[in-house]
Amino acid sequence: MPVLTAARPAAASSFDAIAALKPGPIGVAVSGGGDSMALLHLLTLWRETAGRDIIAFTVDHGLRPAAREEAVFVADTCAKAGVAHQTLRWTPDRETVSQAAARRARHTLLARALRDRGGAVMLTAHTLDDQAETFLMRARQGSGWRGLAGMRRIAPSPVWPEGRSVLIARPVLNQSRAALRAVLNKAGLPWIEDPSNQDPRYERVRMRRMLAGAPHVQDRIVNVMNGLDRLRRAADLRLVDSLRRRVAADALGLIRLDAAALSASDIALVVPHLIPAAAGSDASPRGDTLRRLTAALAAEGGLARRTLGGAWIDKRCGEIRIGRDPGAVRPEAVDGLWDGRFRRSAAPSNTPIDAAPAIVKAAAPPWSESGAECLVQTRIDHIADALAFDFAFSKYNHLTDGVVFA
């Protein structure tokens, strides 16, 4: 095992830290490309001494004729290495789909499959090159400084409710594509080049080509991201403290935030995480509307009820309350959850529905009194844990680390 032996201080300790996050098998998303195949190879070597089960997942998205052949290639590679593998197939309901829709479908399939196998951590092979490309794409879109700090090392699954309890881990985020391909070349292992990675219709491909022609630009971007990442990690400490000490959700999903001692910047950090938790949705709203809302919540005095992102928000006596907008409730169950917030339970709620405010009762499931488990607090705890894990994991995987896998 020459590659892993040489990389043991960084590669294996990084995998050890990830394995300690959650029990159960560790999932890894493998497309057949160079990055994910290198990650699979390193995990296979690590597993020989770690004794942890690994399950590789390949998504056959059906968007290209070669996708099925690529899934077969990964399956054959896994069989030779003795790694469990599962192909997940997605059938788009239209011929043309957005990258955002394909990404959500991919994460939904991965999260469901991992949870079905008893796992809670999914590894992806995002690299330092991906970080630089993401920086340019987000900068063009007008992202704030936190977005420009790049992808996190550890993050909650970006889909809800399908991704509940699932963490995304990016153990090679500080490695270049060239370093990962050097791992494969040294081991004599093949990979498949996705032709869409050369298609200029995709913004990421255009950013990739621009960086390839100016390597010094990527170095400068990495230095900027490194500084922003340090700032974000400092803010994350305050955010985790606020989520754990100042936020509570009751059994009917009403979130209360004790904001009396919070600064305006802290309120702007916390509230975007609470809105989707209250609404049972994927992600927080962004932009000027959110900025105006958090500024109003940070101002002196109260705030009359407003709605945003499927939730209502108000402020009374230093307490911010956030609940589900009854007019946005989705009456159907998805992935076993009603409106992304409740699932049936054998035990009745410990918050009598008759005692709840009318707007909270209007957004409660029809079977609240007979037994409903609300997952709003569980989701808030999951977000806080992921942020804390990301902070701790940074010592294993920082943007300024040297190449350790080559």
Side-chain angles (χ1 to χ4, degrees):
M1 303 187 302
V3 174
L4 188 59
T5 300
R8 178 74 202 183
S13 59
S14 177
F15 295 149
D16 291 339
I18 290 171
L21 296 177
K22 298 267 189 176
I26 296 174
V28 56
V30 185
S31 66
D35 301 338
S36 62
M37 292 299 289
L39 176 57
L40 174 65
H41 174 61
L42 290 166
L43 278 170
T44 302
L45 297 177
W46 168 80
R47 180 196 58 171
E48 294 180 9
T49 56
R52 191 71 174 266
D53 289 338
I54 299 170
I55 306 174
F57 298 97
T58 304
V59 176
D60 175 3
H61 45 63
L63 298 178
R64 290 184 294 104
R68 182 155 298 187
E69 296 176 10
E70 292 162 4
V72 171
F73 165 74
V74 177
D76 290 343
T77 302
C78 288
K80 293 174 184 176
V83 173
H85 177 268
Q86 183 177 353
T87 297
L88 310 172
R89 290 187 171 85
W90 177 50
T91 304
D93 57 5
R94 62 188 71 179
E95 290 186 7
T96 303
V97 296
S98 68
Q99 286 188 295
R103 178 176 180 269
R104 192 190 192 288
R106 182 169 63 253
H107 276 287
T108 296
L109 290 169
L110 290 169
R112 282 176 171 164
L114 181 63
R115 286 175 41 237
D116 287 346
R117 304 288 285 268
V121 180
M122 178 68 71
L123 275 59
T124 66
H126 291 102
T127 67
L128 192 63
D129 302 78
D130 293 316
Q131 281 282 58
E133 294 158 11
T134 298
F135 178 95
L136 291 175
M137 292 165 65
R138 290 180 178 178
R140 189 192 64 78
Q141 295 163 3
S143 177
W145 69 269
R146 290 175 66 83
L148 294 178
M151 292 177 279
R152 294 182 179 276
R153 304 157 189 84
I154 308 289
S157 169
V159 294
W160 184 271
E162 300 90 349
R164 62 186 184 276
S165 79
V166 173
L167 293 172
I168 302 296
R170 303 178 175 103
V172 293
L173 197 57
N174 63 333
Q175 302 301 310
S176 68
R177 290 194 186 102
L180 293 178
R181 280 156 177 74
V183 169
L184 294 174
N185 286 329
K186 189 171 184 178
L189 297 174
W191 68 90
I192 295 175
E193 293 291 356
D194 182 347
S196 64
N197 289 333
Q198 304 299 323
D199 190 338
R201 290 178 299 175
Y202 297 112
E203 183 181 22
R204 183 171 293 278
V205 173
R206 297 194 296 272
M207 298 300 102
R208 186 171 301 167
R209 289 183 174 181
M210 185 182 75
L211 290 170
H216 63 285
V217 173
Q218 178 160 324
D219 293 339
R220 292 175 181 174
I221 289 173
V222 168
N223 287 334
V224 171
M225 295 181 77
N226 193 43
L228 293 175
D229 182 59
R230 284 195 293 266
L231 291 175
R232 184 173 64 182
R233 284 187 287 129
D236 283 350
L237 289 179
R238 304 197 316 271
L239 176 55
V240 171
D241 182 71
S242 296
L243 290 172
R244 288 180 171 169
R245 294 179 57 244
R246 298 184 177 277
V247 176
D250 66 23
L252 289 177
L254 177 62
I255 299 173
R256 299 177 186 273
L257 167 63
D258 178 7
L262 292 181
S263 67
S265 60
D266 286 335
I267 290 174
L269 282 175
V270 177
V271 169
H273 292 278
L274 302 183
I275 290 175
S281 59
D282 279 344
S284 173
R286 301 177 182 177
D288 291 339
T289 303
L290 177 63
R291 285 190 284 270
R292 287 194 295 269
L293 172 64
T294 55
L297 290 169
E300 293 290 334
L303 180 70
R305 185 176 299 151
R306 299 185 183 182
T307 58
L308 182 64
W312 59 264
I313 307 98
D314 67 18
K315 179 184 177 185
R316 300 180 184 180
C317 302
E319 181 182 75
I320 295 172
R321 302 189 307 168
I322 306 177
R324 178 63 159 138
D325 178 2
V329 167
R330 302 179 298 272
E332 72 280 0
V334 175
D335 209 43
L337 270 64
W338 185 87
D339 196 39
R341 299 176 296 131
F342 292 90
R343 61 184 171 197
R344 286 188 178 275
S345 172
S349 167
N350 57 17
T351 299
I353 192 168
D354 290 339
I359 193 169
V360 174
K361 289 190 285 187
W367 26 268
S368 301
E369 307 240 28
S370 61
E373 179 187 4
C374 180
L375 297 186
V376 174
Q377 183 64 54
T378 300
R379 184 175 183 184
I380 293 170
D381 293 341
H382 182 57
I383 294 169
D385 287 345
L387 290 166
F389 292 151
D390 180 62
F391 184 89
F393 191 64
S394 63
K395 67 181 179 181
Y396 297 102
N397 191 351
H398 201 259
L399 293 182
T400 55
D401 288 349
V403 174
V404 298
F405 291 157

